[in-house]
Amino acid sequence: MWEFVTKNKNDIIYLSLLLFSVFIGPYYRRINIIEEKKVVGSLLGLFLIATVSGYSALHPILSGIFGIMAIKSTTIQKCHVTTFFFMFGYLTIFRLGERFGLSPSSGHTNLIEMIIVLRVVGVAFEMNGSYLAMIERKRGDRRDDRPKDRDEDFVELINPDYVNLFHYTFNYIGLLTGPYYRYRTYEDYFKLPFSKHVDCFGFTINTLKAVPLYVTLYLALSHLFPLEYVLTEEHNSRHFVYRMFYPWLLFAAFRQRIYAGMTLAESVCTSAGLGAYPVQGRNRSGHGPTVGYLKMKQMTTPEVEAAQYDFKTVESMEVWGCETVVTLRDSMKVWNKAVQYWVAMVVYKRFPLKAFKIHAALFVSVIWHGFHPGYFFCIYFCPFYLMAEDLYYHLYYKDATGTKKKIIGFIMWFLRSHSESYQAAAFLLLSIDRVWAYYSSVYHYWYFVWFGFFVLGLILNRVRLMLGPRVLVHTE
């Protein structure tokens, strides 16, 4: 037992701090003075950083402060670009600092730094986006042709001062491992009454109830099927089918760890009441309300008290969806949803070259995770798999019904799960020599399988296009 505690000391401390953050939520929620509440939230955040990181706490603190200075020292028209390159530049120095004689930081400090990057860069893009929206609104008002019922990402100019940027950046809610939430969501938490009327305790208990299962499965799977085993001679001497399916077990253990961490992180939000909105807002992870936002801000007290609420704004994982969706495209939509939203809004939709949008989004996602080659192997294979998957989806699954759809769906689920497990091996092994050692032990088979499926899909699609018109003529 003591050996287990010693080996997993950092994880136990991290888990304890997450549980502490959940526990203090109700007390934090009861603070009524807005400025006092913001200060307490920042102090708690700094306490968490210092406890997790020790002397390395200087990195997330300094990067956050310098990032805020980068935002405010440039115009609102350019602050998003300046801040983006500064924060990712600092992230690069932080991760490569050991090569230049700096003391290494823990993985948990790295997680906090990653969240700081999302918040500081995200708020800079919010500020710029709100500015552009105000310009567009003025033009539309002059032309009187702006849609009156269209929901808008930005209904007012977002331009917080230094103090509010500091409080947003270092607020304890979501600081340890997410989820990411916008500055608008943060401000709504203090200025709108929703958190006072939602059943925070009920939502938190409902969210937490699956965590013991995730933790138990993770401990069992990681003990029975350790990662390092794939690099041993014993593993290499096992049957090819065993070696081929071993990553399923590794990825299953990894998923349980992620589910546990993300669920606890969501519980920190639900416990404090951050991210609660009426369901009529059709709330989306990371974004918040997507319709009727201005009407919700103007709701009367009786309407607020009678409303139904959800916490979809701070929802990171759809666990059941992660396990059951048929396609990789859908799997990506339910995995770490808040970060997916950030990548889409900050990188994909804002990148100026349409042909390279997806590559820019993938590259930033890889760099945000880290500089290990395993991340590139894992993440950059996704669009290639999607090329083949989309072919078969439209050829066979999209228009199928009944039993046929279920059978095809199971086959596509199996292939999606197998591809994710194969990619996850690289994500977990990290270094090029370890990744190459495992992939060599299975002869890099999945790339050949994918290429064969892709070529066959192109041929089948071509045949369908050639025969389609003839079939229609014959029918007529």
Side-chain angles (χ1 to χ4, degrees):
M1 179 65 180
W2 180 250
E3 181 182 351
F4 174 82
V5 172
T6 304
K7 182 179 178 181
N8 298 278
K9 181 180 69 173
N10 289 335
D11 285 342
I12 292 173
I13 293 173
Y14 202 75
L15 177 63
S16 300
L17 290 173
L18 276 172
L19 292 172
F20 167 76
S21 299
V22 175
F23 176 77
I24 63 174
Y27 302 99
Y28 182 67
R29 192 173 69 248
R30 293 184 192 129
I31 300 175
N32 292 319
I33 303 174
I34 291 179
E35 290 307 315
E36 178 184 338
K37 196 170 187 177
K38 289 183 177 181
V39 170
V40 171
S42 296
L43 290 175
L44 286 169
L46 294 172
F47 164 74
L48 294 178
I49 295 173
T51 305
V52 169
S53 306
Y55 292 113
S56 297
L58 285 173
H59 282 295
I61 293 173
L62 287 178
S63 67
I65 292 173
F66 289 151
I68 292 169
M69 293 173 65
I71 291 174
K72 301 304 289 185
S73 63
T74 51
T75 63
I76 198 169
Q77 295 95 322
K78 301 292 183 182
C79 67
H80 60 307
V81 176
T82 304
T83 307
F84 179 90
F85 283 104
F86 172 80
M87 292 303 294
F88 275 91
Y90 193 102
L91 187 63
T92 301
I93 295 172
F94 165 71
R95 285 174 172 161
L96 301 180
E98 190 176 353
R99 300 183 183 181
F100 302 100
L102 300 177
S103 58
S105 299
S106 69
H108 297 313
T109 303
N110 181 58
L111 284 174
I112 294 174
E113 180 66 31
M114 291 164 71
I115 297 299
I116 295 292
V117 169
L118 294 184
R119 289 187 181 182
V120 174
V121 175
V123 70
F125 272 80
E126 274 189 84
M127 292 167 63
N128 176 261
S130 70
Y131 167 78
L132 296 177
M134 296 305 106
I135 297 297
E136 180 63 24
R137 181 173 291 111
K138 289 179 180 178
R139 293 172 180 169
D141 288 340
R142 285 197 297 267
R143 297 192 304 265
D144 198 31
D145 60 357
R146 182 170 59 88
K148 298 296 187 288
D149 298 326
R150 180 174 65 88
D151 177 63
E152 295 159 332
D153 288 347
F154 304 101
V155 295
E156 56 197 1
L157 184 66
I158 299 173
N159 192 14
D161 58 20
Y162 280 99
V163 174
N164 281 301
L165 284 172
F166 181 89
H167 290 322
Y168 166 68
T169 301
F170 293 106
N171 188 278
Y172 85 96
I173 302 174
L175 188 60
L176 288 179
T177 188
Y180 166 77
Y181 49 84
R182 299 204 295 173
Y183 180 82
R184 188 181 79 175
T185 302
Y186 171 79
E187 280 293 302
D188 286 349
Y189 176 60
F190 296 100
K191 296 180 179 179
L192 299 183
F194 304 140
S195 65
K196 295 181 176 64
H197 298 278
V198 66
D199 180 15
C200 295
F201 180 78
F203 272 102
T204 303
I205 294 299
N206 189 58
T207 303
L208 283 174
K209 65 184 181 183
V211 171
L213 174 63
Y214 301 147
V215 173
T216 302
L217 287 174
Y218 166 69
L219 292 174
L221 289 169
S222 60
H223 176 72
L224 294 172
F225 307 103
L227 174 64
E228 299 300 323
Y229 182 69
V230 301
L231 304 174
T232 64
E233 287 299 325
E234 182 182 352
H235 169 270
N236 294 341
S237 65
R238 303 292 291 262
H239 193 280
F240 175 77
V241 175
Y242 179 90
R243 303 199 305 272
M244 184 175 69
F245 280 99
Y246 195 84
W248 277 68
L249 302 168
L250 296 179
F251 188 44
F254 176 71
R255 290 201 307 276
Q256 307 314 309
R257 177 175 180 147
I258 297 299
Y259 294 160
M262 292 293 186
T263 302
L264 279 169
E266 290 176 29
S267 299
V268 175
C269 297
T270 58
S271 175
L274 188 145
Y277 287 102
V279 295
Q280 68 196 59
R282 298 180 188 174
N283 312 305
R284 186 156 58 101
S285 179
H287 182 91
T290 59
V291 297
Y293 179 70
L294 283 176
K295 292 181 180 178
M296 289 202 323
K297 292 186 72 173
Q298 298 165 358
M299 289 174 68
T300 64
T301 300
E303 289 175 320
V304 171
E305 292 176 346
Q308 291 183 310
Y309 295 92
D310 65 39
F311 281 93
K312 290 187 179 296
T313 301
V314 290
E315 184 180 65
S316 289
M317 308 290 288
E318 290 183 26
V319 175
W320 185 246
C322 290
E323 297 294 328
T324 61
V325 294
V326 169
T327 65
L328 178 62
R329 190 175 295 279
D330 287 334
S331 178
M332 293 167 65
K333 293 176 182 178
V334 295
W335 178 273
N336 208 351
K337 294 162 64 177
V339 172
Q340 297 274 18
Y341 167 81
W342 184 94
V343 173
M345 297 303 296
V346 168
V347 185
Y348 185 82
K349 292 188 177 181
R350 288 294 203 105
F351 197 74
L353 303 176
K354 185 177 180 180
F356 296 97
K357 282 178 177 288
I358 185 64
H359 298 287
L362 289 172
F363 181 77
V364 170
S365 180
V366 169
I367 296 301
W368 181 73
H369 280 91
F371 297 107
H372 299 288
Y375 295 150
F376 283 87
F377 273 94
C378 176
I379 296 174
Y380 256 96
F381 184 67
C382 289
F384 293 100
Y385 181 82
L386 290 173
M387 291 166 61
E389 180 181 78
D390 287 346
L391 282 170
Y392 290 96
Y393 177 86
H394 288 96
L395 278 170
Y396 299 111
Y397 183 76
K398 183 180 178 181
D399 298 324
T401 57
T403 303
K404 179 181 178 182
K405 191 178 187 75
K406 292 179 180 179
I407 294 173
I408 296 172
F410 175 79
I411 295 171
M412 294 190 68
W413 169 86
F414 176 85
L415 293 173
R416 184 270 296 179
S417 300
H418 196 73
S419 185
E420 286 182 336
S421 300
Y422 187 84
Q423 295 167 245
F427 193 93
L428 296 170
L429 291 167
L430 297 179
S431 65
I432 186 67
D433 56 327
R434 289 158 61 88
V435 173
W436 198 258
Y438 169 69
Y439 280 174
S440 296
S441 75
V442 291
Y443 315 112
H444 305 269
Y445 77 95
W446 190 244
Y447 296 124
F448 296 105
V449 171
W450 166 82
F451 186 72
F453 274 130
F454 179 60
V455 172
L456 178 61
L458 290 175
I459 294 172
L460 292 172
N461 188 55
R462 182 66 177 172
V463 170
R464 183 176 184 178
L465 290 174
M466 293 174 63
L467 296 180
R470 297 180 184 178
V471 172
L472 289 175
V473 172
H474 178 74
T475 301
E476 292 175 353

